[in-house]
Amino acid sequence: MSALPVERAGPRPVEIALLASVFVVAACGLVYELSAAALSSYLLGDSVLQFSTIIGTYLFAMGVGSWLSRYFERQLPAHFLRIELMVALVGGALPALLFIANAYVPGAFRLLLYGLVLVVGTLVGLEIPLVMRILRRNVALKDLVSQVLTFDYLGALAVSIAFPLLLVPQLGMIRTGLLFGFMNAAVAVWALWLFRHELRRVGAHALACTLALSALAVAFAFADRITTLAEDKFYQDRIVFSESSPYQRIVVTRGAAGHRLFLNGNLQFAERDEYRYHEALVHPVMAAHGAPRKVAVLGGGDGMAVREILKYPSVESVTLVELDPNMTRLFRDHETLAALNGHSLASPKLKIVNTDAFQWLQQAGEVFDVIVVDFPDPTNFAIGKLYTSSFYALLDQRLAASGYAVVQTTSPLVARKSFWTVATTIESVGLTATPYHAHVPSFGEWGYIVASRRPFRMPDALPEGLRFLSVATLPLLFDFPRDMARVPTEVNRLSNQILVTTYEHEWGTR
């Protein structure tokens, strides 16, 4: 009679160490994937498209790596160690390389982006099969698969939560990548120690680990200089403030045009001519109303629109709904930037609500005499939802019967179809759309649309001290020449978001 197999009391230290490595490896792999996707959405726009293509490419590359693992037959611990070091260096440097490429060789950015994703994905795809084959020496197959996948999924869960809420806001994209590259290299060191009796040329492996860790440590220490090197080239003017929030990359520069604000690389205002943009945005509806008491501003976290609104003595309260608290804090507390908005964000009349404007409109129970909608252009679907018929239907519910809303609406010259798509969408919910435009040198010809239940009436008075608008010239803003005249367009709905693709096409082919 053959002897029954003796059941082990528990996992051995080597198995525990390797399973812990699986957790780290999974976390690192997801960080590299998220970094590539987030950076591509920052720099190329259309977050849904970028995340979809990056994740798809990354998963494909992991499949290639898993398939290639069959060709690794001997010295599996040595192969695993080398792969960890390669992932550490390539994956850890990925955000820095992409930032620099975007600044210095923008034409090669897409090629480098997908090339790095393919390389990192292939290497990550090799890791788990090799770990499983190393563990298979001592662990039953059913336990092996369940344990490895459990730790793999736990590592992915931890990073998916920490990446947007902790890592990027606290460390920035470049340092986050380098930190996790360091962790991959640490796994290699750990493998070196665990399998030191199996490895050939232990000294060479130790030297490789030391060099990789040193390179990552030096890059981490100089991460701010790398960021500055890339951004100074990209923005040209001197950067006076930069910060990554959970929602966006905020950069403020100072140069010949004064201070300029960029969100995810897109210009939001230039100090030299922002008064033209904000006077045109705010005063036609405020003055036309006559005596607005309650005003809401959706977006506009820089406080410039609030500055113009507070020029009306009748205003009793202003509610500013801005998703990113970092924006409102910056333009309230930074001495120079707060001076640009006349310290409007410190006004006792102002209430700041840091939340999503779509959700706020669904939950707010108030109605307003004037609503100023000052969102960024619809470069992706997350912003595009704020230009849909669903959004404007909610806006209608918060607008007083005699009230006016105004929507900043991109350029009717460069993005003519996009501009008139917004007008069509506003009209689809039963509101009257009254379009107008103004020339802002930093942006060119720029458009706005008044949304109301009653016909818009031209105001016969404006506040004193305006630099751009006057009662005499205001009607000229509502006259559209032939090259900006209305064209047939579809309604932008949540279910189709046609505006995002139209906008990308028009601005991408200018």
Side-chain angles (χ1 to χ4, degrees), residues 3 20 38 57 75 117 129 177 202 225 246 249 254 267-268 301 357 367 380 417 439 481 496:
T57 303
Q75 286 288 302
V117 169
V202 173
R225 292 192 181 182
R249 177 71 175 168
R254 184 171 185 177
L267 179 64
Q268 302 302 304
V367 295
N380 58 59
K417 192 171 182 180
H439 184 72
N496 64 20

Side-chain angles (χ1 to χ4, degrees), residues 235 237-241 251-255 258-262:
Y235 294 108
D237 293 337
R238 183 172 61 90
I239 295 173
V240 296
F241 179 87
V251 174
V252 179
T253 67
R254 184 171 185 177
H259 290 86
R260 296 198 295 172
L261 170 67
F262 295 85

Side-chain angles (χ1 to χ4, degrees), residues 405-423:
V406 61
V407 181
Q408 89 78 17
T409 323
T410 197
S411 170
L413 180 62
V414 176
R416 184 177 178 183
K417 192 171 182 180
S418 298
F419 179 86
W420 291 108
T421 295
V422 177

Side-chain angles (χ1 to χ4, degrees), residues 37-229:
L39 277 171
S40 63
S41 67
Y42 281 3
L43 302 173
L44 301 177
D46 194 349
S47 58
V48 173
L49 174 64
Q50 303 309 327
F51 268 86
S52 296
T53 54
I54 292 298
I55 291 172
T57 303
Y58 191 83
L59 291 175
F60 166 76
M62 287 181 66
V64 171
S66 297
W67 181 79
L68 290 174
S69 67
R70 66 172 66 188
Y71 297 105
F72 293 81
E73 297 178 357
R74 300 178 181 178
Q75 286 288 302
L76 295 183
H79 290 310
F80 178 71
L81 187 153
R82 295 187 193 103
I83 289 167
E84 286 304 295
L85 291 179
M86 286 190 286
V87 174
L89 292 171
V90 181
L94 182 145
L97 291 173
L98 291 178
F99 265 122
I100 292 172
N102 182 64
Y104 288 89
V105 283
F109 178 81
R110 288 180 188 269
L111 179 63
L112 181 63
L113 169 66
Y114 287 98
L116 287 173
V117 169
L118 284 169
V119 171
V120 174
T122 301
L123 292 171
V124 170
L126 285 165
E127 292 172 316
I128 299 302
L130 291 182
V131 170
M132 293 180 72
R133 288 167 62 185
I134 295 170
L135 283 168
R136 193 174 61 185
R137 303 169 181 174
N138 303 298
V139 181
L141 181 61
K142 67 181 181 66
D143 295 328
L144 171 65
V145 174
S146 64
Q147 289 174 1
V148 169
L149 292 182
T150 296
F151 279 84
D152 185 39
Y153 296 150
L154 285 174
L157 173 65
V159 161
S160 66
I161 295 172
F163 185 82
L165 300 179
L166 177 64
L167 295 171
V168 173
Q170 297 300 321
L171 296 177
M173 200 75 73
I174 290 179
R175 277 207 171 100
T176 295
L178 292 168
L179 172 64
F180 279 80
F182 200 89
M183 291 169 65
N184 264 129
V187 169
V189 173
W190 188 235
L192 175 64
W193 171 256
L194 287 176
F195 301 106
R196 60 192 182 279
H197 300 301
E198 297 182 39
L199 294 170
R200 303 169 185 170
R201 301 170 60 193
V202 173
H205 289 304
L207 177 61
C209 290
T210 301
L211 292 175
L213 287 169
S214 300
L216 291 165
V218 169
F220 190 91
F222 288 93
D224 287 339
R225 292 192 181 182
I226 296 172
T227 303
T228 301
L229 179 70

Side-chain angles (χ1 to χ4, degrees), residues 306-327:
V306 176
R307 176 196 66 201
E308 300 301 316
I309 289 166
L310 292 175
K311 293 178 179 178
Y312 291 81
S314 63
V315 172
E316 297 173 1
S317 66
V318 182
T319 301
L320 173 62
V321 183
E322 163 63 48
L323 177 63
D324 193 347
N326 292 36
M327 273 288 293

